[in-house]
Amino acid sequence: MGRKVTVATCSLNQWALDFDGNVLRILKSIEIAKASGAKYRLGPELEICGYGCADHFYESDTLLHCFQVLKQLLESPVTQDIICDVGMPVMHHNVRYNCRVLFLNKKILLIRPKMLLANHGNNREFRWFSAWSQPRHIEEYFLPRMIQDVTGQVTVPFGDAVLSTKDTCIGSEICAELWNARSPHVDMGLDGVEIFTNSSASYHELRKADQRVNLVKSATTKSGGIYLFANQKGCDGDRLYYDGCSMIAINGDIVAQGKQFSLDDVEVITATLDLEDVRSYRGERCHPHMEYEHKPYQRIKVDFSLSDCKDIFLPTHQLVEWVFHSPEEEISLGPACWLWDYLRRSGQAGFLLPLSGGVDSSSSACIVYSMCVQVCQAVRDGNAQVLEDVQRLVCDASYRPEEPREMCGRLFTTCYMASENSSEDTRNRAKELAAQIGSNHLNINIDMAVKGMLGIFSMVMGKWPKFRVNGGSSRENLALQNVQARVRMILAYLFAQLCLWAQGKPGGLLVLGSANVDESLTGYFTKYDCSSADINPIGGVSKMDLKRFLQYCAEHFRLTALKSVLAAPPTAELEPLTEGQVSQTDEADMGMTYSELSVIGRLRKISKCGAYSMFCKLIHSWRETCSPSQVAAKVKHFFKMYSVNRHKMTTVTPSYHAESYGPDDNRFDLRPFLYNTRWSWQFRCIDHEV
């Protein structure tokens, strides 16, 4: 009958500028799609070079190497008899565009540039690309000679057009165009396009997955149609983790779903769908020419069918119910996958973590353990790439990880760095957790190094600083805390570089940090202390979420040591103990609770509140617990702390991006780092309202 089509979309773990690896993953996805009977294969955004090339997009080499890869794809027998839709940057009339290149049997059908660029959050596409500003308009694009030699074409269509095959019509969207208020799929649907495709590079944030699913369902609920969504996955070289979730929908229903988190470099999902279902749906609901006048899309005619005339016995895919991960599961899975990609691609041999026995460092440790759980499961599932990577990391071609604790012992070193201000409670908590996850655990005493540093200062300046409890000033008190914290950072890097050398093993270790997003927001950490590391898996996660995550780990991984970690008050343990017990707590030092910080952080970043607007909102939401003058005091205290310490964000460790109110100075939260910390005008406005 020729009405059922089999289409494929995919999630690929591409790596910026890894052209050799990227092309192999693209070819593998096409091979899997063809083996499943698909006649159309969609890939992620900018998959040839990787989405995260950043300022490398300015380089002509990046464009050149993309066309070299495209040439290899065109020539490959794998790409024959299937419409391939790949992403790469293309320069047209000396303007750089983010494009889809659609080709079939060594012929380029269309180059479709992105029309609505992503320029919010971590996205900076306007820095590197221009938007195609001519809807439903195409021009001639002159192909490079290397491509002409393969295709026999001198020019190809470039612009906003759709493909018209013998049996259906296909239109493209690119990533942010789905999120936009004027998404192209609306006009395409009204013009008779039956299959919409979206190639995306959408990164993970906690509690975000349902947004994508709802947008895809909504796109085809309104006017019917088939929607293919492809996404990148993995760490492609920076703070972001792209979390897959490729999917296929028809008429508002999801019929095929990819994983959100996995260690598979290539994941292809396919679906067989009946075009008559789209036509019947539209026949009842949509009457475009009665409701809407618009300029029709130019159709690129393609002598090819996605369907087969003998398809009556071909079953179609049925509705699937999407099951979303809880935030605790997302923290367990996303940062763990990100760590795995970073480790195997960095060439290092494992991780080292200063483990204090508190919530933050315990969270980082649990994420490494979760990584080992996922690696062992992937090996059991037959993932040859993961097994090859593990064997390379441990320098043992016969090694096969079976049990997460055993693998943790090979890849993960933890160290408790005690000082005279450390308690037995934190030492025991760290030791017990390390034993349960199987890490190679070290106990180090830093007092000798601290006294050596202070001795140098005393010898030069003739004075020995004292803690506040011993009669010292606040400056002395803070300096004595900072020297302990900074000595720990130096020792962490020393042990990371030489631990394996001392054991007669090759390689070095990546140092993990463990400062959470709320502490970064207020600057409640020492600049160049243990928060300074190679990477930080929890730097984008709030303290409240981390506590819930540890509760999940205690139950899911049966890590009973976490119960005592959760029961203890958060403390830096940098001031002297009182009768052997901790006297310093984080919330007392910060002057507010972690719960309050989460609320303030969201108002500052997500709601775009300055000090005055924040006060105006909080007098209502906190009215049950705080008077207006108390709210004013908390807001002023926060902005004072935030502005005094903002300079620390310029050196903060690269962290997994997980939270929409993160203060990351790299490109997500762009602010000055030298403020007038009095905020005189703003605070007077608050005082007037009080």
Side-chain angles (χ1 to χ4, degrees):
M1 294 175 64
R3 51 190 264 177
K4 296 176 184 175
V5 296
T6 301
V7 289
T9 183
C10 62
S11 297
L12 303 183
N13 193 339
Q14 302 297 73
W15 190 8
L17 302 176
D18 177 26
F19 293 99
D20 281 319
N22 291 350
V23 69
L24 290 176
R25 287 182 283 271
I26 292 170
L27 285 170
K28 185 177 179 181
S29 70
I30 297 170
E31 188 176 359
I32 294 170
K34 284 180 69 175
S36 301
K39 294 296 183 69
Y40 187 100
R41 175 268 181 200
L42 175 72
E45 186 174 13
L46 295 169
E47 61 189 302
I48 286 180
C49 56
Y51 183 80
C53 293
D55 282 1
H56 289 289
F57 284 124
Y58 290 136
E59 299 167 5
S60 61
D61 281 8
T62 303
L63 300 173
L64 169 67
H65 299 327
C66 285
F67 272 112
Q68 290 170 334
V69 169
L70 180 61
K71 178 177 184 287
Q72 185 175 334
L73 292 172
L74 286 163
E75 291 175 330
S76 172
V78 173
T79 63
Q80 302 306 296
D81 300 320
I82 182 171
I83 296 177
C84 296
D85 185 337
V86 300
M88 59 181 276
V90 177
M91 185 171 280
H92 176 55
H93 294 173
N94 291 335
V95 179
R96 195 181 302 100
Y97 295 98
N98 174 349
C99 294
R100 303 304 300 172
V101 180
L102 295 90
F103 62 90
L104 169 68
N105 294 337
K106 297 186 180 180
K107 300 289 183 184
I108 293 177
L109 307 173
L110 172 67
I111 300 177
R112 200 282 200 180
K114 192 171 184 177
M115 303 174 68
L116 301 166
L117 300 181
N119 208 52
H120 62 280
N122 283 290
N123 300 114
R124 294 286 179 272
E125 291 183 12
F126 276 108
R127 181 176 173 90
W128 308 299
F129 302 109
S130 293
W132 182 253
S133 57
Q134 303 177 75
R136 303 175 196 80
H137 173 76
I138 59 172
E139 297 176 355
E140 283 189 321
Y141 176 79
F142 283 81
L143 293 170
R145 278 174 291 188
M146 72 173 98
I147 304 298
Q148 292 181 26
D149 292 343
V150 177
T151 66
Q153 301 165 290
V154 177
T155 64
V156 295
F158 184 102
D160 184 25
V162 298
L163 297 187
S164 184
T165 64
K166 290 181 177 180
D167 48 1
T168 190
C169 190
I170 307 164
S172 298
E173 287 188 324
I174 304 177
C175 197
E177 293 173 353
L178 172 63
W179 273 259
N180 196 276
R182 301 190 64 179
S183 296
H185 68 256
V186 176
D187 287 344
M188 287 192 291
L190 292 170
D191 198 32
V193 173
E194 295 177 328
I195 300 175
F196 312 108
T197 67
N198 185 300
S199 54
S200 189
S202 178
Y203 56 84
H204 175 237
E205 278 183 357
L206 294 175
R207 307 170 179 89
K208 174 183 171 183
D210 64 311
Q211 295 178 24
R212 295 192 204 110
V213 177
N214 291 337
L215 283 166
V216 168
K217 291 169 72 172
S218 172
T220 56
T221 298
K222 289 179 287 190
S223 58
I226 296 168
Y227 203 105
L228 278 66
F229 179 86
N231 195 21
Q232 188 161 312
K233 71 189 303 186
C235 166
D236 80 338
D238 67 5
R239 295 158 171 80
L240 306 179
Y241 178 78
Y242 301 92
D243 58 334
C245 288
S246 294
M247 66 190 95
I248 300 174
I250 181 170
N251 299 342
D253 293 325
I254 304 295
V255 293
Q257 167 192 349
K259 297 174 185 174
Q260 185 175 12
F261 307 107
S262 83
L263 302 184
D264 298 327
D265 282 349
V266 177
E267 181 188 29
V268 179
I269 61 169
T270 60
T272 299
L273 301 165
D274 195 334
L275 292 171
E276 290 301 317
D277 289 340
V278 175
R279 293 158 189 165
S280 299
Y281 187 95
R282 288 180 172 176
E284 180 182 359
R285 290 169 172 79
C286 305
H287 304 282
H289 298 295
M290 292 174 62
E291 301 169 0
Y292 179 58
E293 289 187 12
H294 66 283
K295 179 183 175 182
Y297 281 83
Q298 295 197 50
R299 280 166 158 72
I300 309 298
K301 294 182 174 62
V302 183
D303 187 18
F304 187 73
S305 295
L306 300 191
S307 59
D308 190 292
C309 59
K310 301 176 181 177
D311 63 6
I312 190 167
F313 296 111
L314 193 62
T316 56
H317 281 66
Q318 302 302 307
L319 166 70
V320 298
E321 195 64 39
W322 198 293
V323 178
F324 295 101
H325 291 291
S326 68
E328 296 76 34
E329 290 172 326
E330 290 186 84
I331 297 169
S332 173
L333 297 169
C337 292
W338 182 74
L339 284 183
W340 175 247
D341 277 346
Y342 202 102
L343 178 60
R344 69 192 181 110
R345 289 172 169 172
S346 70
Q348 297 303 296
F351 298 114
L352 180 138
L353 171 70
L355 183 60
S356 70
V359 167
D360 295 334
S361 61
S362 297
S363 296
S364 291
C366 287
I367 288 170
V368 176
Y369 182 73
S370 175
M371 181 198 81
C372 294
V373 170
Q374 292 187 67
V375 167
C376 291
Q377 185 59 53
V379 170
R380 282 194 292 272
D381 292 341
N383 190 319
Q385 182 63 58
V386 170
L387 179 59
E388 179 187 324
D389 289 334
V390 174
Q391 291 172 342
R392 178 171 47 82
L393 287 169
V394 302
C395 299
D396 183 352
S398 63
Y399 177 64
R400 187 178 183 88
E402 301 286 350
E403 205 274 320
R405 287 186 73 258
E406 185 274 334
M407 183 183 167
C408 237
R410 286 179 175 254
L411 294 180
F412 192 28
T413 297
T414 52
C415 54
Y416 181 81
M417 298 186 182
S419 76
E420 60 187 14
N421 303 316
S422 302
S423 67
E424 274 304 307
D425 288 343
T426 53
R427 182 197 302 270
N428 292 335
R429 289 199 296 267
K431 182 180 179 181
E432 188 180 355
L433 178 59
Q436 290 185 5
I437 64 175
S439 66
N440 176 28
H441 189 61
L442 308 173
N443 270 304
I444 304 169
N445 190 292
I446 68 169
D447 286 335
M448 186 188 304
V450 172
K451 285 182 171 64
M453 297 284 284
L454 293 174
I456 294 172
F457 175 83
S458 178
M459 185 172 62
V460 174
M461 303 304 296
K463 285 191 173 184
W464 193 282
K466 300 176 184 177
F467 282 105
R468 186 188 291 114
V469 295
N470 298 325
S473 65
S474 348
R475 283 193 290 173
E476 293 170 76
N477 197 67
L478 186 57
L480 287 172
Q481 293 184 65
N482 288 344
V483 73
Q484 295 171 73
R486 288 175 177 140
V487 161
R488 286 182 172 129
M489 185 269 287
I490 294 167
L491 286 172
Y493 272 98
L494 176 64
F495 277 82
Q497 286 183 289
L498 295 181
C499 253
L500 297 182
W501 166 79
Q503 298 169 33
K505 298 177 182 177
L509 303 175
L510 290 165
V511 179
L512 293 184
S514 52
N516 63 64
V517 70
D518 300 320
E519 290 170 349
S520 296
L521 193 57
T522 56
Y524 182 65
F525 60 91
T526 300
K527 198 174 187 180
Y528 304 117
D529 69 346
C530 280
S531 65
S532 297
D534 293 312
I535 49 174
N536 180 358
I538 66 162
V541 187
S542 75
K543 190 79 161 192
M544 304 307 291
D545 278 335
L546 289 176
K547 288 182 176 180
R548 288 187 284 266
F549 164 64
L550 288 187
Q551 186 64 49
Y552 164 83
C553 290
E555 298 167 4
H556 184 71
F557 296 132
R558 296 184 176 87
L559 300 176
T560 55
L562 295 175
K563 293 179 180 178
S564 59
V565 173
L566 286 164
T571 174
E573 284 197 334
L574 294 171
E575 293 187 29
L577 303 175
T578 303
E579 297 179 355
Q581 297 300 311
V582 170
S583 59
Q584 177 187 27
T585 63
D586 292 353
E587 293 185 338
D589 280 357
M590 291 189 297
M592 59 185 69
T593 66
Y594 281 109
S595 178
E596 290 169 341
L597 262 179
S598 288
V599 174
I600 285 173
R602 286 180 166 83
L603 288 174
R604 181 199 71 99
K605 177 67 178 174
I606 301 172
S607 300
K608 315 295 188 293
C609 286
Y612 176 73
S613 296
M614 188 179 293
F615 166 78
C616 292
K617 288 181 182 294
L618 289 176
I619 55 173
H620 298 291
S621 56
W622 287 354
R623 66 183 179 275
E624 300 295 331
T625 55
C626 297
S627 67
S629 58
Q630 289 174 319
V631 172
K634 287 179 182 291
V635 170
K636 289 179 182 180
H637 179 67
F638 167 75
F639 273 90
K640 173 86 172 172
M641 293 291 295
Y642 161 73
S643 55
V644 164
N645 290 308
R646 180 65 191 185
H647 66 95
K648 295 179 181 179
M649 294 311 301
T650 63
T651 61
V652 76
T653 297
S655 302
Y656 179 96
H657 176 85
E659 194 53 86
S660 53
Y661 70 92
D664 171 37
D665 188 67
N666 173 253
R667 70 182 188 196
F668 182 69
D669 188 44
L670 305 181
R671 317 259 173 158
F673 54 85
L674 177 62
Y675 281 91
N676 181 340
T677 59
R678 292 185 296 275
W679 300 87
S680 53
W681 189 286
Q682 296 91 330
F683 288 0
R684 277 202 307 275
C685 291
I686 293 175
D687 291 340
H688 175 74
E689 297 300 332
V690 172

